[in-house]
Amino acid sequence: MSPRRFTAGARAAAYAGAAILLTTFYCGLPLALAIRPVLRNSALCLLVASISLLLATVWIVRILRRTTPTARPVATYRRPTSGDNSPAPLLAWRPVAVPQMGFQRAEEVADTDAWTIPLPRIRWSSQPH
Amino acid sequence: MLSYYRSFIFHSDRYRQLVEVDTAMLKMKAVPKIKIQITTRGSDGSTEVIRRGIDHVLSLATEDPAFYGSFLSVEVVTESTEQAELFNDRYAGTPLSVDALVLPASYVTPNGTQLKARALHYVVEQRRRGWNHRPGRTFVVHYDEESVLEPGELRKLIALLADTDKKILEGPIYYPLEYLETSILCRAMEAIRPLACYECRHVMEHGVPLHLHGSNLVIEEEFENDLGWDIGHLDGQPFIAEDYVFGLNAFLAGGPQAFGWHGSVMLEQPPFSVRSARKQRHRWIVGVLQGMAMLGRMAEFRELDWRLRQRLIWGTRYRVACFALSAPVGALSLALMPLFLTQTVRTLQGRGPAPLPAPVMAWIALVGVMWLGTLLIGAWYNVAYLDRPRSEKLAEIGRCLLIAPVAGLLESTAGFAAVIEWLLGQRQVHWQPTPKTKAADSAVDWAAGR
């Protein structure tokens, strides 16, 4: 694994960990306390609360994956800038592999797979008011 | 929020169109004429983003110029003559018919309508006189300046419009454009919105317009021409949520059966700065309050069934109240969180009583799950369109969740301020379109509009 990918992965893991901690504060602990009068065991309450939140997350992600198209062209947008005299942005469309978590893995798509639609050139002589 | 989740969990299959549509499939249908209308003031930064939206339509047209050119066109309505010339020049000779119409500075509607609705009504008047008339059933697809419909989504929309009997339809909006150029606080605020679109679907399919957004809004041209956008004003103040007011008028004129959901995803961009985002939220709330005030004065509304009237009024009031009251609740929760956590841990260690009764704790947990779940859902949809590695997308979702308590507070205080000002009788409105580029955002003089 390249250092860049390792750093990105570590950053993602750190943010994910922090988000889990936040979820524990806002949802896990209140849920554990809510069921404590029934279960009467704090460790068991925390376990049940954690499993419940995990299942809720898995359920949400399943729906998200279902409602995110499995294969779709990705538009790469070049950010337009004022006073742009360069050719109009080309829309690069790339067929993308079905992502495992509903994400596109565009970095794994070889550049040779890319194709572009040439659009007419425009020269910006001035900007509107 | 429960209604959002009801739609998300039980009706997610109706939320968006997932089956791909290709040109060959469209050719087998009796496709209607489609006019994409982009309404702009022509302010700084708008040209670039409008160009991006039209270029995407053009990329669809280039797939089969003869076919798409026969029914698809773009109309830009702008207050800038120079901008209109730029668009007319740029797209001349392309497979796509692009017409830019300049709103004359002297134009006045019969009811004195101002702001965006004035421009929208000007187009209606031109169409009534035959401007760009195309025979056959025609739909107008309303864009905001920065809106983008990818070719695949546009094909799905065309396929659906070929078969629908609805007159006014909406679809979901995600916010991935210029995403990483905007403040993380704005990104977290925009993460709330995709789940809200699940409720849009419910609202549109049931035909009770508790809210309506002005982009990704598709209206049958004849219906729009009949209705117009000449919504007037409220005690001399212009309406700033013309989409909501139009939705109410459409409901009164066409009834619930006129409304529908098309499920094609439109892409837009978050505001660049927290200030722009807060101004936008403030404007939404004031706009809805204006619309409700207008509704109460309309004879047609008073003729509706009592239960329907209550549903419309109290449904909207409830939504506004939830938005505004999130401010004190969020502030209280941030302030009390350390105390609450300490007490909770002590209770779990068996060293003290629970800070609140068990049912209240269960309610807090449920609200927490739904709130953070909303952020997860919205951030997922928004980053799904970014051309970035998966690890970066995961990190971004985590960031949105982490910043949510602060972002939520900033957002809801804008709504809270709007409601308080309204209740205190401060009803003057000022409107500055949300800037569409970072440079334009930095250059805005917000005090000038006051």
Side-chain angles (χ1 to χ4, degrees), chain A residues 45-61:
Chain A
C45 290
L46 284 171
L47 183 68
V48 171
S50 303
I51 292 172
S52 305
L53 288 178
L54 186 67
L55 288 176
T57 308
V58 169
W59 193 21
I60 288 175
V61 169

Side-chain angles (χ1 to χ4, degrees), chain B residues 60-114:
Chain B
L60 173 68
T62 50
E63 286 180 14
D64 191 332
F67 174 64
Y68 288 106
S70 68
F71 68 90
L72 191 59
S73 62
V74 175
E75 293 171 356
V76 183
V77 190
T78 174
E79 296 181 28
S80 161
T81 309
E82 197 178 2
Q83 189 180 50
E85 286 170 3
L86 280 167
F87 286 128
N88 283 332
D89 289 348
R90 172 177 162 80
Y91 295 102
T94 65
L96 189 66
S97 161
V98 178
D99 292 290
L101 187 66
V102 180
L103 174 68
S106 57
Y107 172 70
V108 180
T109 74
N111 291 333
T113 300
Q114 295 172 48

Side-chain angles (χ1 to χ4, degrees), chain B residues 128-248:
Chain B
R128 284 172 180 166
R129 291 176 190 152
W131 180 69
N132 266 358
H133 175 72
R134 292 176 164 220
R137 196 178 190 205
T138 304
F139 284 96
V140 180
V141 181
H142 285 273
Y143 271 38
D144 268 351
E145 291 164 333
E146 82 272 28
S147 304
V148 165
L149 268 172
E150 290 183 307
E153 293 300 310
L154 203 41
R155 278 195 296 270
K156 291 175 192 170
L157 176 62
I158 295 164
L160 184 129
L161 294 179
D163 299 327
T164 190
D165 61 347
K166 303 293 180 186
K167 295 177 189 300
I168 176 165
L169 305 100
E170 287 205 313
I173 306 176
Y174 300 161
Y175 300 88
L177 305 178
E178 304 293 313
Y179 190 81
L180 296 174
E181 298 295 317
T182 63
S183 155
I184 176 63
L185 286 163
C186 295
R187 274 137 56 189
M189 288 186 207
E190 296 309 281
I192 296 281
R193 299 178 72 183
L195 183 69
C197 268
Y198 272 92
E199 209 219 358
C200 287
R201 181 208 60 77
H202 177 82
V203 164
M204 293 303 286
E205 288 191 347
H206 287 78
V208 182
L210 296 178
H211 54 84
L212 197 79
H213 41 75
S215 59
N216 212 4
L217 171 66
V218 181
I219 312 171
E220 192 188 62
E221 188 186 41
E222 200 179 324
F223 186 62
E224 187 172 349
N225 283 352
D226 286 347
L227 220 51
W229 288 84
D230 194 10
I231 54 180
H233 50 81
L234 187 74
D235 303 328
Q237 294 295 320
F239 284 106
I240 51 174
E242 72 292 330
D243 39 13
Y244 175 69
V245 176
F246 182 85
L248 293 173

Side-chain angles (χ1 to χ4, degrees), chain B residues 45 103-104 124 135 146 188 209 220 253 266 338 366-367 386 401 432 436:
Chain B
L103 174 68
V124 165
E146 82 272 28
E220 192 188 62
M266 179 171 271
L366 179 69
V367 171
L386 293 183
L401 284 167
Q432 166 70 47
K436 303 304 179 192

